[in-house]
């Protein structure tokens, strides 16, 4: 089984290699995970504008992957940017959003989860994603670390301490019984595993929960619903032959 | 007061002129409405992919308008594509999404509204928009006309009859007491006005309700909340100097 | 366009003049606003009993206005007393409740609003109004100033300081991103404008948001739904000829 | 134990006698029920306006009863008009609204109830009452009989047949498992009992469920919460000495 | 009228006598209450496992009572263990769960109630019971006393002080306006009555509210819905002749 | 990795063998699945009473497994009987309920799912399970096949046709975009796979989705939350030494 992990922005080669190693190590036997980054996009996602920036290019790549032999695509951003569009334009490959996958696993493991995201600017989106997932009633809080995404790796131990502290507040004062990390960069730092240990509750590493959800669904022979994520009408009616035909450019001034 | 009506895709000059005339006619005395279309984007929005296609370019235009003397921007698509991002990146100009404005006006005028959108592919997004607006409990149904957006104008009377028929079903069988048209092209066909007459309930023309909401809020001295739609952290911290700095391109192969 | 502002209780002439001046100043060019108070009613509304006290008399006045050339009625109390009844008995004039209008504008401008009302006794009604408006999911808290309505004007600066303090708590500790003032007397003190400035979030002045909502809806050609607010059956069937016929008096002991 | 059944409008003496007999027959041993009607009010309640018409007078009577030795007041209208105000102004006597009591009993007996009200004009209020009661998730539908209240008694068998037919639809097509009659006049026709028999599900007679709820709560030593229904501030602060002081009259023209 | 109070576990004779006295004293004139305990079951219920332990035996007893002349069964545990099953298997006797009855009475008396349960381990179940009752929107918090059930009686005054303290927090900091005691042992200590006095809000004694709800429903001629709680298919089809036939034992190793 | 599949009732040896073969075939490489049935329990689960019948015995088995080297337990009934208790009493082994797992996978794959259960008697439990899972807003309907569980295997083709027919109604008339089979016996008939093919939407086979969810969570190093499913207080305090100590028997008559 081949799974593509698509990062909606450009990423350094070394970091891609580091992450690919981890993904491969977390994958089931017989599963190959390949990271594909997007030539143009945000350096990190700390605003909705940056989410949208990376979608059109990621879509083109995933549209192409859909015609190859990939079983699943895992989105490389835990804001699930453009998840709905990416599911609309694919007919064969399953597309998984890490936030959605992580929240559903938390919902299975407990009654009340909190989401820990990167910056305050991402808190309203966090609520919205829980609402859209239908899991608003299990969400306690969305809390922010307020360390920029790109500095997480340099500050692993500071980030971990702050995550543990916020997590502890959620557990002790607000009765959260599980946590969802809301950023893929956190996932590749292996902090979820230490937090689980120290806080005594399950903490979702969004990279691992997304990868395992993708594998599980593929092994069940399941694909995201094409009634729920319809193929774009202009493509299904044949008016457009490919994704490129959906983009129009002004010809006259 | 200057209001910009920003279409998230390229539009023919004649159609722009026709629409500008209507907008100006609907505007308050002393208000100038200017239509600005985007050089590259979808021909019409019938899928989430097409929504996302137009956002980055529309954002660049609105980011520029924010530094000029416009009081408000009305988005020219009733799917409210990228509304959250457009509000994040603006600090002076108020940004209004027509679906949100239309649903809130319907919510004021009655207890239960249905949304009439263009194609079945847009129904899940219709539910999502009501959910995000916090108005899910007042939404009866999202129903689709299933006439492609670009053919609406050529088939005004067929579209009107079908809208009246679906609207009547919603009123008589499902006790809807108001309707929201979910497409700006419907708005510029003046069908809402005839439907209001024939069905005896208020029908929101999304163009007019968005324009009037924009004017009303500006006249109240109100702007969308910058606590709710935070300026992107990379911009507020000065790490990026402008919107362009937020887009990264892969330099090495 | 003529708009009536109907106060559901008797008000001093000087105060009526002062308020009329402000209303006229806030109105669109071409709009005339007239304040009409009710001969018998509560001095201020701090309980449901006082809400109900003013409705029958206000209804009689609005029933009469409905037969004249008024385009809209704005209720002069932000508890929206009897809004449903006033909409039932009117067929031409649009009736606007300030709380409903203010909450819908807050819902457009942000994700989470708090309502600031006058006394603790009004907090349950505040929740109920958000529930009925369908906006419960966007409401953070209803908080009370606990300064009697009739003393607000004498204590403008104390009231403002307390409003700012409560508002700040809502923003900083509970992530409210907008505020709705829940009393018309607050509206005529112009505190919303100063609060907006000091707190950096939009604060709804219920007088202005109600007036602008009324103007906007009239200019859209929209009226509250008569399917949702049915004309009283005894009137529509002709069994009663006027509002007065709906009141029966015991004839025998 | 003395219970007052307060009709918010004038009622014929014979009808009062007929109803009093039934109430007394339904009451627990040792309970005396007394019907008190209001000298001025609606003939029947088919609109919100008619609800509000009867509240001020009913309040005055109940304010007086609160100072006598009544244990409870049952409101004589299943729209629960002014229930909140009546609870605010009482400190000793418990006030029960029949709709609220009936819906809570239905909620105990099953998972999904429908409300059968008199006229289409009352359907939105039916939804609102379920929402306020916190029981919206158990409500299936509010359906209307569309026989005027004042004609119910002359058409008992026609009304019963129609109630059975609508009830059967709710059970068979919509999986309602209990029904709440939404009108006291239905209650005094004993149709609930026959419907229960014929439909095989519990049907709440609002008169009996309200009376029994009142008796049960009194016997538990419980009173409606004065934190939730605060005594009006002007009364508790002593600015007003009685209910009458809360009504102001315009003195000058 | 005969009412059985069925304790889902074995109870000491003296305690049964003590409780029977109180129940009889709280019962209406003409009502006989009989306590029946179960030969095998939990000593007290502090976990879901202990809830389930007592259900099969309690069911057998109640199945037998259903064929005798009991009008109602009140479950002797405020976690309402197996309430749904006990209603399925009964066709004549009404079965009442004390938590459900208590929460519905609190819902009638106020807008916002908190539940006070025995141990932290019972808090998630407390939320679940409010959710199932359809009353989640009126629930403020479930709080725990953290005194083991079996030690409550020895520590009545300590328990009372802690209940008052937690209750006061709920009222003053979280605006609860009524409380529901979530344990029958608390009910038989008469603490609700003292709490009501000291806190100035209604506090549900689950024993009394359940008993009174049972009496009230029986006197209304109402039974739990057999559409909502269907008789087990194997029994209604005749494949099983009695409850015993529903239990299979492995015959071969 | 060893996974136990625990059937909460006795099952014939041949059927156990047949099911074990399928489970093993569906399991990941390296995973061993072992079926364990319970010596005493229901023949099939068509009522809540039958759910409860099997829990105490299943709990004893799972309590023992928790001390062995099993990584996960999958409950062998899609009503998830006693899931909460089984999670409370386990500290090492992860316990998975098939309905919860299936609904969460459906929630990931689409916006709106319907559950197809065996008999009408199970419909209210179906709603309750969706409510508890926090997924009520994504549930369209719970529909019943009304073929007894024990006859499903003899009537595979009839069952399949009826499932397809009901499924099609849900898709075409109610816009469901995925389905969850609500019975393990359906799962072992492989009908989900054919339904997916014929209806063009994902249909959850509860056996496979539960097994894959268990494997996925174990491979993520995650366990159900012990804050959400607390170890029974009598066990954690040491007052009881084992599960057996939690069951008390009446000693004196």
């Amino acid at each position: 089984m081949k799974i593509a992990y698509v990062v909606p922005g450009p990423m350094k080669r070394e970091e891609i290699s580091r992450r690919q190693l981890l993904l491969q190590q977390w994958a089931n036997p017989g599963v190959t995970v390949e990271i594909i980054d997007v030539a143009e996009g945000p350096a990190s996602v700390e605003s909705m504008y940056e989410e949208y920036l990376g979608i059109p290019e990621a879509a083109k790549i995933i549209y192409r992957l859909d015609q190859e032999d990939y079983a699943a695509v895992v989105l490389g951003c835990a804001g699930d940017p453009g998840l709905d569009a990416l599911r609309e334009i694919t007919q064969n490959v399953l597309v998984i959003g890490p936030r959605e996958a992580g929240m559903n696993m938390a919902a299975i493991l407990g009654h009340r989860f909190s989401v820990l995201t990167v910056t305050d600017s991402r808190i309203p989106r966090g609520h919205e994603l829980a609402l859209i997932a239908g899991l608003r009633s299990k969400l306690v809080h969305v809390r922010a670390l307020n360390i920029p995404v790109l500095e997480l790796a340099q500050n692993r131990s500071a980030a971990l301490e702050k995550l543990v502290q916020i997590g502890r507040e959620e557990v002790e004062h607000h009765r959260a019984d599980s946590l969802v990390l809301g950023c893929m960069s956190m996932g590749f730092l292996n902090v979820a595993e230490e937090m689980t240990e120290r806080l005594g509750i399950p903490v979702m590493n969004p990279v691992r929960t997304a990868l395992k959800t993708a594998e599980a669904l593929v092994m069940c022979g399941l694909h995201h619903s094409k009634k729920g994520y319809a193929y774009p009408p202009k493509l299904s009616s044949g008016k457009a032959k490919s994704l490129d035909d959906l983009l129009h450019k002004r010809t006259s001034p």
Side-chain angles (χ1 to χ4, degrees), chain A:
Chain A
M1 186 197 307
K2 277 171 64 184
I3 294 181
Y5 179 93
V6 176
V7 183
M11 181 171 276
K12 293 212 181 110
R13 291 307 97 179
E14 321 80 288
E15 184 59 12
I16 288 186
S17 304
R18 190 181 78 83
R19 294 189 176 195
Q20 184 133 13
L21 220 69
L22 280 164
L23 280 165
Q24 197 57 56
Q25 176 184 318
W26 287 329
N28 275 357
V31 173
T32 312
V33 190
E34 195 178 324
I35 299 192
I36 300 170
D37 70 341
V38 165
E40 262 186 52
S44 71
V45 171
E46 293 167 354
S47 62
M48 289 310 298
Y49 177 72
E50 286 162 298
E51 275 207 22
Y52 295 126
L53 262 188
I55 298 173
E57 286 304 306
K60 281 185 208 161
I61 287 169
I62 291 169
Y63 183 72
R64 180 172 51 74
L65 297 177
D66 190 45
Q67 290 149 11
E68 302 182 11
D69 61 341
Y70 290 86
V73 165
V74 170
L75 253 175
C77 172
D80 295 358
L83 178 60
D84 40 14
L86 303 172
R87 288 178 161 181
E88 283 175 357
I89 62 167
T90 46
Q91 294 181 299
N92 306 299
V93 75
L94 167 75
V95 185
I96 292 298
R99 181 69 61 89
E100 187 180 64
M103 288 192 297
N104 276 282
M105 282 205 167
I108 287 174
L109 295 172
H111 306 293
R112 298 164 57 85
F113 63 83
S114 286
V115 171
L116 307 189
T117 189
V118 280
T119 51
D120 277 351
S121 59
R122 298 297 286 157
I123 290 177
R125 176 63 173 169
H127 283 114
E128 187 180 289
L129 284 165
L131 198 66
I132 294 172
L135 290 169
R136 188 64 188 78
S137 68
K138 286 206 166 188
L139 176 71
V140 181
H141 286 136
V142 183
R143 298 283 302 270
L145 192 58
N146 286 320
I147 298 181
V149 177
L150 299 172
E151 296 172 21
L152 279 176
Q154 295 106 287
N155 292 290
R156 184 184 183 278
S157 98
L160 174 60
E161 289 315 311
K162 201 155 169 200
L163 284 166
V164 166
Q165 176 215 314
I166 297 174
R168 202 182 303 279
E169 284 171 27
E170 290 302 299
V171 173
E172 292 178 4
H173 300 324
H174 306 293
R175 302 199 67 82
D177 60 20
S178 61
L179 297 172
V180 176
L181 298 189
C183 169
M184 296 313 249
S185 294
M186 293 180 189
F188 287 106
L189 290 180
N190 278 4
V191 287
E193 291 70 13
E194 267 190 73
M195 290 174 72
T196 296
E197 194 87 7
R198 286 171 62 180
L199 293 170
I201 56 164
V203 180
M204 311 300 123
N205 175 334
V207 183
R208 293 175 77 178
T209 48
L211 180 61
K212 289 297 147 192
T213 298
E215 291 173 348
L217 287 166
V218 170
M219 288 184 290
C220 288
L222 293 168
H223 188 266
H224 54 263
S225 174
K226 291 307 292 176
K227 294 279 179 202
Y229 298 96
Y231 202 54
K234 295 189 186 73
L235 286 169
S236 59
S237 69
K239 282 179 197 161
K241 300 298 177 208
S242 79
L243 225 52
D244 292 339
D245 291 356
L246 295 178
L247 183 70
H248 280 244
K249 300 189 186 198
R250 192 161 53 210
T251 46
S252 59

